[in-house]
Amino acid sequence: MGNDVLVSISNLRKSFGKVLALNDVSFELKRGEVHALLGENGAGKSTLIKVISGVHTPDEGEMIIKGQKISNYSPKKARSSGVATVFQELSLVNELSVEDNIFLGHEVSVATGALNRTVMRKKVNELLEYVGLNVSPQTKTGSLGSAQQQLVEIAKALSTDPDIIIMDEPTDKLYGDEQKQLYRIIAKLREDGKGIIYISHKLEEILLIADRVTVLRDGKYISTTDTKGATHEQLISMMVGRDIGSLFPKEKVPIGDDVLTVKDLSCGGYLQNINFSVRSGEILGIGGLVGSGRTMLAQSIAGVIKTDAGKVFVDGEEISLKSPKDAIKSRIAYLPEDRKRYGLVLSMSCLDNIILPSIPSFVVNKKELTKNTDGLVSKLSIKTPSLNTYVGNLSGGNQQKVVIAKWLSTKARVFIFDEPTQGIDVGTKAEIYKLMCSLAKEGCCILMISSDMNELLSMSDRVAVMSSGQMVGVLNHDECTPENVLRYAFERSDS
Amino acid sequence: MKKEKQININWQIVGVLAAIVVIIIVTGIIRPQFFKLSNIANVVRQNAALALVAFAMTPIIITGGIDLSPAANNALVSIVVAMLLVRGMNVYAAMTIGIMAGTACGLINGVLIGYLRLPPFVATLSTQCIVQGVALTITGGVPVTNLGSEVYKTLGIGSIGNIIPVNFIPVVVLFALTFFLIHKTKFGINTYAIGGNETVALWAGINVKKHKLLVYTFAGFMFGIAGVIAGSRVSSGQPYLSTGIELDAIAAACIGGTSMSGGKGTMLGTLLGVMLMGLLNNALNLSGISTFVQDIVTGFVIAIAVFVSMIRDNKN
């Protein structure tokens, strides 16, 4: 038995700042096994594989790889221990040949330092044959299709002769026969005694190719089961959490008429025929997996992305959305995820950030604006030494409040929150929820994109679920259960 | 929120000021003629064009851009004015047309950078090449001289009441104008926002393309005036006028704390940067140090100033 276990992890703990990403997680991978990792967005899957591949160092816990206890782990050490990762985002250099990409970072050289092309060419041909890719090693990688690039990516991972192969949503960009080819490669690897860690959101696929599946939730280990005999429903119920705390101060607010109406909105292949409306006083939650088109939808309503077709109405009037400026004029506010990159100018003061979309006149009277903004600052209890403080010096929660203040000052009626509480401590989270409720009370309508299931279910009056660019279902308040949301979210991606 | 009186001390500016004071004291002791009014007037005259170019360069760098075309712009403007004066045009009309030519060059930069999205470095490199080429072509490479305008000459080397150089007036007025634009208007806040984070600026409803067009066009206008000042000082149209002025202007902005990666900088800092460079040159001149060595010293000063401001940034 002992020799059969490739990876053994016990009681792993990893936190980023105040956020506990992995809490007491255990995991095991055997030779000749495909072990799937399953969980919602942010459940800790990525963190776990990054620990195994040496990118993150765990705070606590033990990791044994091929019988050796691991210390001072690093990506380089992971590679020499036989761990290889097939990345979700293609990590290939388009300008280089297939051959050069496969050996990038571990080229074989002769004594003079020149590349040993003969040895590399032989190895590359073996690898390409193994993954079933029939192209010349000198082909420029950029000229290949995305499925072929995925195979190059796998060949690259196999070039170090790994025993442990991590695959992060490898079939995400593959269809039909391409998927089947990947399954064949995986079957071959398994026969050769390799161990494969497989992350996927496609339940069918997991039941088809994996031997065991480990479910994570909120960074915690839930359970590991054999896929033989397991069902869809079982897997979903393992992913779903039951404990919803009293963190969510959702208030009942009278619901009025439609404020925002979206009709037949389409954008490339990313959004298809989206129809919905949000009423005044209502919080419409938008659920779905990462990449299901939720942010695209938000950005197309905010005028950031140009759409191919569809109409958007505010208070019954059709609006033109050629730029974010148009959206702001129509009293739409978009509070993006990743506030450091998209929400704030970190090199400017709090005041300048708050007034940016709503500067009233050409000549700026900062004294007067400071006086007007002070009210907002105390209403939101933004903790800052002064309005002149650089916003980059504030904590994450206070930065998010500055973003909110910025959009409150535009007197918007439609608020689109994209992951409003990501990376924010619990106390500030509750304040932000309260604020959303008070906006609803004032007659605004709110769209809230959230990957946090508890937040989504507790704060929303209705939940719309997106999958593969479509709005696959809108759940009324009494239908809002984790099972229903996940069922819709996983619906199309299984097909 | 608790009301606290916050005094934001800009250490970069304090540092440059200190350096200026040191230069003044040291040079004053070893070369007393440094304090002569004629010497000070000379420093102003020598650096008036540089000051205007640096004032216009600062907003550009704050947006995260750069402009390599001011020297060619200056040359073209001086030639346009000179050719018109030779043909007997009214001096004020000639200067206006010259400044308009400079503004047009800036407008072209603005279109290339704002609307066609060329990287500023490449866009202005190509316009500086083109404009320089035009300046050489229309003159055949020969300076245009014998302008015959006393007013133009006075602007270049004259002084008011034998003390204040005439071209000190546009420097003061245009510093005030640029200071107002950058520190007291919506235009200024938008400039900082674009340089700090272009996506955030765009999503806050700022018309980024138009704004960049305006910033580069304004710079073209300022370069045009600098061209008139530089041209009037030599009272001719010179196809190689102001060579290297773009680098001195960028250096002055950097010394004054403007960050080359955009989003940071002040007009006061740039003004002090120009003063530091001008006084340093003058001090080295008076001390009889060769211009070759002066370049070495200037290079060190730039590196030290930027290094100090990086230390400051990392602390924050």
Side-chain angles (χ1 to χ4, degrees):
Chain A
M1 164 84 195
N3 227 354
D4 275 354
V5 180
L6 287 171
V7 181
S8 165
I9 286 175
S10 45
N11 310 106
L12 201 69
R13 198 183 284 272
K14 171 75 191 169
S15 58
F16 298 101
K18 286 180 188 162
V19 181
L20 202 55
L22 289 177
N23 185 2
D24 205 9
V25 168
S26 301
F27 178 78
E28 183 195 70
L29 179 71
K30 291 184 197 155
R31 259 185 206 287
E33 176 188 48
V34 178
H35 195 145
L37 276 178
L38 187 63
E40 291 177 66
N41 304 329
K45 296 166 300 192
S46 298
T47 313
L48 179 58
I49 62 166
K50 279 184 180 150
V51 168
I52 297 172
S53 59
V55 177
H56 292 327
T57 318
D59 303 335
E60 276 174 49
E62 195 180 59
M63 180 153 71
I64 296 169
I65 291 187
K66 293 200 278 186
Q68 276 195 314
K69 207 174 156 207
I70 294 298
S71 58
N72 284 332
Y73 207 44
S74 68
K76 205 172 166 190
K77 210 158 172 191
R79 189 148 81 188
S80 61
S81 318
V83 179
T85 310
V86 179
F87 290 97
Q88 187 176 13
E89 299 294 327
L90 293 174
S91 66
L92 302 172
V93 183
N94 278 336
E95 298 306 314
L96 290 183
S97 69
V98 167
E99 176 177 52
D100 290 344
N101 260 306
I102 287 174
F103 276 98
L104 194 62
H106 56 103
E107 292 87 352
V108 181
S109 305
V110 294
T112 58
L115 294 176
N116 190 340
R117 288 275 174 198
T118 335
V119 173
M120 283 162 64
R121 183 66 50 82
K122 188 162 164 270
K123 177 95 190 188
V124 165
N125 282 328
E126 280 170 25
L127 287 168
L128 291 181
E129 201 192 314
Y130 193 93
V131 300
L133 181 60
N134 193 14
V135 298
S136 152
Q138 283 128 302
T139 317
K140 221 186 188 188
T141 311
S143 67
L144 301 176
S146 67
Q148 288 178 313
Q149 289 191 13
Q150 183 78 66
L151 293 175
V152 176
E153 187 83 51
I154 293 169
K156 182 181 170 180
L158 296 180
S159 67
T160 54
D161 291 316
D163 291 307
I164 300 143
I165 299 149
I166 300 168
M167 294 188 174
D168 192 356
E169 298 198 51
T171 57
D172 219 32
K173 295 182 187 84
L174 304 184
Y175 301 96
D177 287 345
E178 298 162 4
Q179 284 186 11
K180 289 198 184 110
Q181 189 176 358
L182 181 76
Y183 299 157
R184 275 197 294 275
I185 296 169
I186 291 171
K188 220 190 299 183
L189 289 169
R190 175 160 56 180
E191 270 167 38
D192 292 348
K194 317 270 188 200
I196 296 154
I197 302 172
Y198 195 89
I199 293 186
S200 174
H201 281 305
K202 302 176 183 174
L203 297 180
E204 291 297 342
E205 180 175 283
I206 287 175
L207 293 175
L208 185 72
I209 64 164
D211 301 299
R212 287 193 292 171
V213 53
T214 289
V215 176
L216 299 178
R217 182 171 73 223
D218 300 331
K220 283 196 222 81
Y221 171 83
I222 302 301
S223 69
T224 303
T225 44
D226 288 338
T227 51
K228 213 173 272 169
T231 65
H232 246 97
E233 301 301 315
Q234 262 177 316
L235 293 182
I236 286 181
S237 72
M238 284 200 286
M239 280 192 286
V240 170
R242 302 264 169 211
D243 48 337
I244 296 177
S246 58
L247 172 63
F248 304 98
K250 171 74 176 160
E251 290 177 55
K252 272 272 165 226
V253 168
I255 306 272
D257 296 330
D258 286 355
V259 176
L260 175 76
T261 305
V262 172
K263 278 190 181 154
D264 298 321
L265 195 74
S266 292
C267 176
Y270 303 106
L271 291 176
Q272 294 160 34
N273 276 318
I274 307 277
N275 283 291
F276 69 94
S277 51
V278 200
R279 293 165 290 178
S280 85
E282 185 178 44
I283 299 177
L284 176 71
I286 300 185
L289 302 170
V290 170
S292 59
R294 301 174 305 174
T295 296
M296 287 285 252
L297 174 63
Q299 295 191 344
S300 57
I301 299 170
V304 171
I305 294 176
K306 286 181 185 71
T307 53
D308 306 333
K311 291 175 178 171
V312 177
F313 301 84
V314 173
D315 287 325
E317 256 178 75
E318 189 182 345
I319 59 168
S320 125
L321 284 174
K322 289 200 193 75
S323 69
K325 201 174 178 174
D326 289 341
I328 294 165
K329 249 187 239 158
S330 303
R331 299 175 70 191
I332 296 171
Y334 172 51
L335 292 81
E337 62 180 331
D338 199 347
R339 61 195 157 264
K340 285 195 184 186
R341 268 172 75 190
Y342 303 123
L344 294 167
V345 183
L346 296 177
S347 57
M348 294 204 313
S349 68
C350 294
L351 179 69
D352 287 352
N353 268 289
I354 291 172
I355 63 176
L356 194 60
S358 59
I359 303 172
S361 58
F362 183 72
V363 178
V364 174
N365 183 343
K366 291 230 172 151
K367 256 189 203 139
E368 199 185 306
L369 286 169
T370 307
K371 225 166 62 193
N372 297 346
T373 311
D374 266 348
L376 263 179
V377 171
S378 50
K379 182 181 166 192
L380 301 177
S381 53
I382 299 174
K383 286 181 198 71
T384 170
S386 100
L387 274 169
N388 294 324
T389 306
Y390 286 120
V391 81
N393 295 343
L394 302 186
S395 70
N398 280 303
Q399 286 181 353
Q400 184 70 326
K401 287 179 183 175
V402 171
V403 177
I404 294 173
K406 163 172 150 179
W407 292 107
L408 284 179
S409 67
T410 65
K411 309 264 184 287
R413 280 205 72 196
V414 179
F415 282 85
I416 307 170
F417 287 87
D418 197 345
E419 304 286 2
T421 60
Q422 212 172 45
I424 285 176
D425 62 284
V426 181
T428 312
K429 265 189 189 181
E431 286 180 58
I432 287 172
Y433 296 139
K434 256 185 220 149
L435 207 95
M436 288 166 98
C437 290
S438 77
L439 282 174
K441 232 190 260 174
E442 287 163 23
C444 297
C445 75
I446 294 170
L447 259 79
M448 183 186 70
I449 296 173
S450 177
S451 295
D452 179 336
M453 184 65 81
N454 293 341
E455 170 177 294
L456 190 68
L457 296 176
S458 311
M459 292 307 296
S460 309
D461 295 292
R462 289 184 298 155
V463 173
V465 184
M466 294 196 61
S467 174
S468 309
Q470 297 177 22
M471 199 167 266
V472 285
V474 179
L475 302 167
N476 288 322
H477 193 67
D478 49 347
E479 300 169 316
C480 285
T481 63
E483 286 84 358
N484 281 339
V485 172
L486 284 182
R487 194 169 292 127
Y488 278 119
F490 282 92
E491 187 176 84
R492 300 273 166 153
S493 50
D494 277 348
S495 62
Chain B
M1 193 186 73
K2 236 174 88 181
K3 272 271 167 202
E4 272 173 48
K5 190 106 179 155
Q6 261 227 334
I7 308 159
N8 283 330
I9 298 169
N10 188 330
W11 290 106
Q12 178 93 22
I13 284 177
V14 174
V16 178
L17 259 176
I20 290 174
V21 170
V22 170
I23 291 171
I24 291 174
I25 292 172
V26 171
T27 319
I29 291 168
I30 56 174
R31 290 285 184 276
Q33 70 264 42
F34 181 69
F35 287 122
K36 272 194 181 162
L37 281 176
S38 63
N39 182 53
I40 292 167
N42 205 21
V43 173
V44 171
R45 256 186 225 113
Q46 276 170 349
N47 293 289
L50 170 64
L52 296 192
V53 172
F55 296 162
M57 191 68 82
T58 305
I60 288 178
I61 299 177
I62 292 173
T63 64
I66 198 158
D67 195 332
L68 301 178
S69 69
N73 189 319
N74 283 187
L76 181 73
V77 171
S78 79
I79 288 162
V80 168
V81 176
M83 286 181 135
L84 294 173
L85 288 177
V86 168
R87 279 160 184 74
M89 186 185 266
N90 171 288
V91 63
Y92 298 104
M95 290 195 297
T96 308
I97 293 172
I99 293 166
M100 280 164 64
T103 312
C105 293
L107 181 73
I108 294 168
N109 282 336
V111 171
L112 293 178
I113 293 158
Y115 286 86
L116 303 181
R117 297 187 189 197
L118 259 61
F121 192 97
V122 180
T124 58
L125 185 64
S126 80
T127 50
Q128 90 89 27
C129 234
I130 294 167
V131 174
Q132 188 78 65
V134 170
L136 285 164
T137 308
I138 57 178
T139 56
V142 185
V144 184
T145 50
N146 296 324
L147 309 186
S149 166
E150 279 309 310
V151 177
Y152 199 51
K153 211 177 203 170
T154 309
L155 174 66
I157 55 174
S159 47
I160 301 162
N162 266 334
I163 303 170
I164 302 166
V166 175
N167 56 25
F168 187 56
I169 310 292
V171 172
V172 172
V173 171
L174 292 169
F175 176 75
L177 175 69
T178 319
F179 183 92
F180 175 74
L181 269 179
I182 290 305
H183 296 303
K184 300 287 170 195
T185 68
K186 185 172 175 172
F187 181 88
I189 294 177
N190 291 355
T191 304
Y192 283 97
I194 288 170
N197 190 328
E198 194 166 323
T199 309
V200 174
L202 182 71
W203 292 6
I206 296 168
N207 188 336
V208 174
K209 292 177 187 173
K210 189 172 130 199
H211 192 87
K212 285 187 178 170
L213 178 92
L214 290 175
V215 169
Y216 284 91
T217 309
F218 175 71
F221 166 73
M222 295 281 285
F223 297 160
I225 298 173
V228 167
I229 286 173
S232 66
R233 220 166 86 79
V234 289
S235 210
S236 58
Q238 299 278 355
Y240 286 116
L241 191 67
S242 303
T243 311
I245 200 169
E246 68 280 2
L247 298 181
D248 286 343
I250 293 166
C254 283
I255 290 171
T258 304
S259 158
M260 288 303 289
S261 47
K264 274 183 206 150
T266 60
M267 290 311 299
L268 185 62
T270 299
L271 178 67
L272 292 173
V274 172
M275 282 172 66
L276 178 64
M277 288 184 63
L279 289 171
L280 185 65
N281 261 331
N282 183 254
L284 295 171
N285 268 334
L286 292 181
S287 312
I289 292 168
S290 88
T291 50
F292 306 141
V293 179
Q294 287 182 23
D295 281 350
I296 299 174
V297 174
T298 311
F300 273 109
V301 168
I302 296 168
I304 292 166
V306 175
F307 180 68
V308 169
S309 80
M310 274 168 55
I311 295 174
R312 176 201 59 168
D313 283 355
N314 288 341
K315 263 189 193 158
N316 279 342

